[in-house]
Amino acid sequence: MTDTIIQEINLQLPAILIPLLPLIGFFLNALFGKKIGHASGWIATLAITGSFICSLYLFFNLPAGASQTITLTNWFHFKNIIIPFAFLIDPLTITMLLVITGIGSLIHLYSIGYMHHDEGFSRFFSYLNLFVFFMLLLVMGNNYLIMFIGWEGVGLCSYLLIGFWFKNQAYNDAAKKAFIMNRIGDLGFLIGMFMMLFYFNSLTYTEVMSKARTLSIGNPMIVFITLFLFVGAMGKSAQLPLYTWLPDAMAGPTPVSALIHAATMVTAGIYMIARSNVLYALAPFTLDIVLIVGVVTSLFAAIIGLLQTDIKKVLAYSTVSQLGLMFAAMGMGAFESGMFHVVTHAVFKALLFLGAGSVIHALSNEQDMRNMGGLNKFIKVTYLTFLIGTIAISGIPPFAGFFSKDEILATAFEHNKIIWGLLSFSSMLTAFYMFRLVYVTFFNNYRGTDEVKSHIHESPAVMTIPLIILAACSVVIGFIGLPPVISHTHSFKNYLSSVFTQSKQILPSGHEMSHATEWILIATAVVLAIVSIAFAYTKYVMQKQTPVADSELKGVSKLVANKFYVDEIYDTVFVKPIMLLSDLFLVLIDKLIIDLFVHAVAFVTTQVGRLLRLIQTGHVGFYMFAMVVSMIILLAVQIYSVVKF
């Protein structure tokens, strides 16, 4: 008994501190940021580093397969519905905590150097801490309501951070676009929550999953709930058709792209499906939808990435494509594989975004790859770490991306050969456009202006140290999930197994793949990646080609470079009709009805006032005369009513 109490106390305090520290950092920077100046960056970094240490404590002290609920208060109580404000600490939560706080602390440290000369330095770090607080709330809650609070909170902070440089109207528009498109998805999430509340009388994960298991597989109610939840996931994780906000969100400072658009917020949709794995296992139709959307998004974004010339936009479309790969894994019921790619992708994509930031920092905010080239001679640390990140995302062994991608591709091969072919082709394109980025940016001769060239310099240590740490992690972190052909122990899958036990009992189990087949799949994936890299090398290094000007593009190239005109289609189909409708409402409802009514009331009131003003003369004699006349009239009326009666 005493041991149990001590253990609960030992876990409860660090669990509470994890979200609390960034929240304290936010308040300190928001209230005193202007007074403490650049110290605000260190306060924010120490706050998130403290959360990381607490997360490590939970990782080492919570036994594998165990979970603990920490209830702070009974928050919502109506009739038989009770929703506590409680945290659920289990392997899935701890995995996300380590990603958010570990990578987040490195991004905070990097930001101290990157944002050093920005006039909104303290404001930036207050937003960053607030974002991390909401993200931690999202993954720590033991029910969908707390998840939704975190969900909305990160959406708000995303809006604030994307539009951080708010004096630029284009950046403001990008922030509004992200905010509005996410709200579309959030509506789906809300409807899904209301349905759960109505049918299950609860939003707590354990109760919802327990009651859902009493229903049959494919029950329409479960299908609708999971579909609505998936709409929310599509918005937050930038899947077709709600993906267009993410590339535009690159308007925000680059550390924001690394934190929000690589390691945390965009993976919220994956996390939500993983957390709801029992519901999705009971809805095979929804899983098929998730799979189709994931595959199509992965391929579609990879094709667009082929001809992008903005260094951050290439990474943005790569993120959309990789998220599609994760959703495809979820759609096949391979929840552990999807989460494995979440972890590895968070590491090497954060590295790539921060590396891109270091390039932009060295080139005085230049982002067009056509104005770069030959940078490997000037910024060697940035180049080498960026190269490691690129090898990792391309799926070259033994770097991190190889293991997680290979696992998803192997699952796809067992599930459906066409799906495997499409995902393999998407991965092949990824290797090509990522090395295109490296070759055009870092190889051959510099193509920018002499003035910019004279200022090229490596980033300060506060920026390069996080790059080096993330590069080292990109090399080794894949070893937590070795394929069966190499090792019978898949540490990551074993660690998460308790979270997905129930869904595995529902989903049909696949047969074990032979080692020969597995070796063939690995060899195929590696060969495809190497061929893509070699083709990019021939084209952009040996032949020294550079991406042509937008005006020279024709045919399919122009179509791809313009992102299949999806933004223009949305603008024509949705934005312009809504704007036209709002103009009509402005004229017909606001101007002709509401304004006319208000003006008519004002006119009548004014005229009555003018008439009444005629009898407000200020002469006592007139008032006495009016009083006598009034009394005579009243008396006459009274006499008339009596006589008539």
Side-chain angles (χ1 to χ4, degrees):
M1 180 68 179
T2 306
D3 292 342
T4 305
I5 293 172
I6 291 172
Q7 186 184 15
E8 287 184 357
I9 291 172
N10 286 342
L11 292 181
Q12 187 168 327
L13 181 61
I16 293 171
L17 283 176
I18 288 170
L20 187 62
L21 288 173
L23 186 63
I24 292 172
F26 159 69
F27 279 117
L28 286 176
N29 283 323
L31 296 175
F32 309 109
K34 289 186 177 178
K35 292 182 179 177
I36 58 182
H38 283 81
S40 58
W42 290 105
I43 290 173
T45 305
L46 287 173
I48 189 71
T49 304
S51 297
F52 177 58
I53 293 169
C54 292
S55 302
L56 281 175
Y57 182 87
L58 293 184
F59 174 71
F60 287 114
N61 287 279
L62 186 74
S67 65
Q68 185 170 330
T69 300
I70 298 169
T71 303
L72 302 180
T73 179
N74 272 332
W75 183 26
F76 186 88
H77 191 176
F78 179 72
K79 293 185 177 177
N80 58 340
I81 300 172
I82 300 173
I83 302 176
F85 196 97
F87 295 149
L88 173 64
I89 308 300
D90 69 355
L92 183 60
T93 304
I94 292 176
T95 300
M96 291 301 293
L97 289 178
L98 291 173
V99 170
I100 296 164
T101 57
I103 297 176
S105 58
L106 292 173
I107 293 171
H108 274 66
L109 179 64
Y110 174 96
S111 302
I112 293 173
Y114 190 84
M115 300 296 290
H116 185 75
H117 299 293
D118 198 283
E119 60 183 14
F121 188 85
S122 300
R123 181 166 55 90
F124 177 79
F125 279 98
S126 65
Y127 289 167
L128 222 52
N129 265 184
L130 185 64
F131 172 84
V132 172
F133 162 73
F134 278 120
M135 191 66 208
L136 293 171
L137 209 59
L138 190 156
V139 300
M140 291 183 73
N142 84 327
N143 60 68
Y144 285 98
L145 189 55
I146 295 180
M147 181 194 278
F148 188 72
I149 292 172
W151 194 275
E152 289 301 300
V154 294
L156 169 67
C157 294
S158 167
Y159 167 77
L160 294 172
L161 286 165
I162 294 169
F164 181 74
W165 290 313
F166 56 85
K167 292 179 183 176
N168 185 317
Q169 188 54 43
Y171 296 175
N172 281 335
D173 292 342
K176 283 187 285 187
K177 186 176 182 179
F179 190 78
I180 291 169
M181 292 206 81
N182 272 283
R183 297 294 77 72
I184 296 170
D186 294 350
L187 179 62
F189 193 169
L190 265 178
I191 295 172
M193 282 203 329
F194 284 133
M195 289 183 71
M196 281 190 279
L197 202 57
F198 183 77
Y199 287 109
F200 299 135
N201 286 331
S202 177
L203 289 176
T204 304
Y205 301 142
T206 49
E207 287 187 39
V208 169
M209 304 308 156
S210 173
K211 291 178 180 177
R213 286 215 63 182
T214 62
L215 302 174
S216 60
I217 295 174
N219 183 290
M221 188 258 294
I222 298 284
V223 171
F224 278 115
I225 288 174
T226 49
L227 281 175
F228 280 120
L229 290 178
F230 180 55
V231 172
M234 284 196 295
K236 196 63 79 185
S237 296
Q239 295 295 287
L240 278 171
L242 302 177
Y243 74 97
T244 56
W245 66 270
L246 198 148
D248 285 6
M250 296 300 110
T254 304
V256 172
S257 306
L259 182 63
I260 296 178
H261 307 126
T264 53
M265 190 183 88
V266 293
T267 62
I270 313 289
Y271 168 76
M272 186 254 277
I273 291 180
R275 179 58 76 192
S276 313
N277 62 87
V278 175
L279 294 179
Y280 280 88
L282 289 167
F285 176 77
T286 309
L287 280 180
D288 288 341
I289 298 294
V290 174
L291 174 60
I292 293 168
V293 170
V295 172
V296 174
T297 303
S298 178
L299 195 58
F300 186 75
I303 292 172
I304 294 177
L306 292 173
L307 291 178
Q308 294 301 301
T309 53
D310 184 308
I311 189 170
K312 287 177 67 178
K313 289 282 180 74
V314 176
L315 298 180
Y317 280 104
S318 163
T319 300
V320 176
S321 179
Q322 296 302 305
L323 288 168
L325 201 63
M326 297 170 206
F327 272 106
M330 294 287 162
M332 292 183 286
F335 301 112
E336 303 100 323
S337 304
M339 287 305 302
F340 185 26
H341 200 53
V342 166
V343 174
T344 60
H345 176 264
V347 174
F348 56 69
K349 187 52 68 66
L351 167 64
L352 290 168
F353 267 118
L354 295 185
S358 186
V359 171
I360 295 166
H361 182 263
L363 298 181
S364 306
N365 297 321
E366 178 61 72
Q367 292 187 201
D368 194 328
M369 290 152 47
R370 291 169 294 194
N371 298 325
M372 300 178 185
L375 296 181
N376 57 347
K377 297 185 282 291
F378 301 99
I379 46 176
K380 291 183 179 177
V381 176
T382 300
Y383 161 64
L384 289 173
T385 51
F386 197 92
L387 182 63
I388 290 171
T390 306
I391 296 172
I393 196 174
S394 299
I396 302 295
F399 293 79
F402 162 74
F403 295 104
S404 52
K405 270 191 184 182
D406 176 69
E407 195 168 303
I408 294 173
L409 291 175
T411 306
F413 186 82
E414 287 183 307
H415 193 83
N416 186 301
K417 303 296 184 291
I418 295 174
I419 298 293
W420 171 78
L422 292 173
L423 291 180
S424 296
F425 183 59
S426 170
S427 299
M428 185 179 168
L429 295 180
T430 301
F432 173 78
Y433 68 70
M434 285 305 301
F435 269 89
R436 168 181 177 265
L437 189 158
V438 169
Y439 294 145
V440 173
T441 303
F442 293 100
F443 283 66
N444 297 326
N445 297 321
Y446 180 68
R447 297 179 296 276
T449 63
D450 291 336
E451 184 184 354
V452 173
K453 185 178 180 182
S454 64
H455 294 99
I456 297 176
H457 59 281
E458 185 55 276
S459 299
V462 75
M463 291 171 65
T464 53
I465 288 172
L467 292 179
I468 294 167
I469 295 172
L470 286 170
C473 292
S474 297
V475 176
V476 301
I477 199 167
F479 289 95
I480 62 174
L482 294 173
V485 73
I486 298 175
S487 170
H488 291 294
T489 305
H490 193 299
S491 303
F492 187 75
K493 194 175 284 188
N494 290 342
Y495 181 65
L496 288 182
S497 60
S498 62
V499 180
F500 302 115
T501 301
Q502 291 188 53
S503 57
K504 292 299 174 192
Q505 293 169 354
I506 300 168
L507 291 168
S509 56
H511 63 277
E512 193 171 339
M513 187 182 291
S514 70
H515 284 186
T517 306
E518 200 171 344
W519 277 120
I520 291 171
L521 291 177
I522 290 173
T524 305
V526 174
V527 168
L528 289 176
I530 291 174
V531 167
S532 301
I533 295 166
F535 181 61
Y537 183 81
T538 305
K539 191 176 173 68
Y540 296 106
V541 178
M542 295 180 68
Q543 298 176 1
K544 297 186 177 180
Q545 293 184 25
T546 53
V548 299
D550 296 340
S551 58
E552 296 178 23
L553 292 168
K554 293 178 182 176
V556 177
S557 298
K558 187 175 182 180
L559 183 68
V560 174
N562 285 288
K563 299 158 281 185
F564 294 98
Y565 296 100
V566 173
D567 277 315
E568 288 77 4
I569 292 170
Y570 283 180
D571 195 48
T572 304
V573 176
F574 298 109
V575 178
K576 286 181 179 174
I578 290 174
M579 293 298 288
L580 181 64
L581 200 62
S582 66
D583 287 343
L584 282 174
F585 276 117
L586 175 68
V587 174
L588 294 177
I589 306 295
D590 196 44
K591 298 288 183 186
L592 291 182
I593 297 178
I594 296 176
D595 282 5
L596 195 63
F597 175 74
V598 171
H599 290 158
V601 171
F603 177 78
V604 170
T605 306
T606 304
Q607 295 307 316
V608 170
R610 284 177 179 169
L611 286 173
L612 292 176
R613 192 174 61 186
L614 296 176
I615 60 175
Q616 296 291 323
T617 61
H619 297 293
V620 177
F622 174 77
Y623 293 150
M624 293 185 67
F625 172 74
M627 185 177 68
V628 171
V629 170
S630 301
M631 290 174 65
I632 292 172
I633 292 171
L634 289 172
L635 187 60
V637 169
Q638 186 67 26
I639 292 171
Y640 175 76
S641 62
V642 171
V643 171
K644 186 179 178 182
F645 180 77

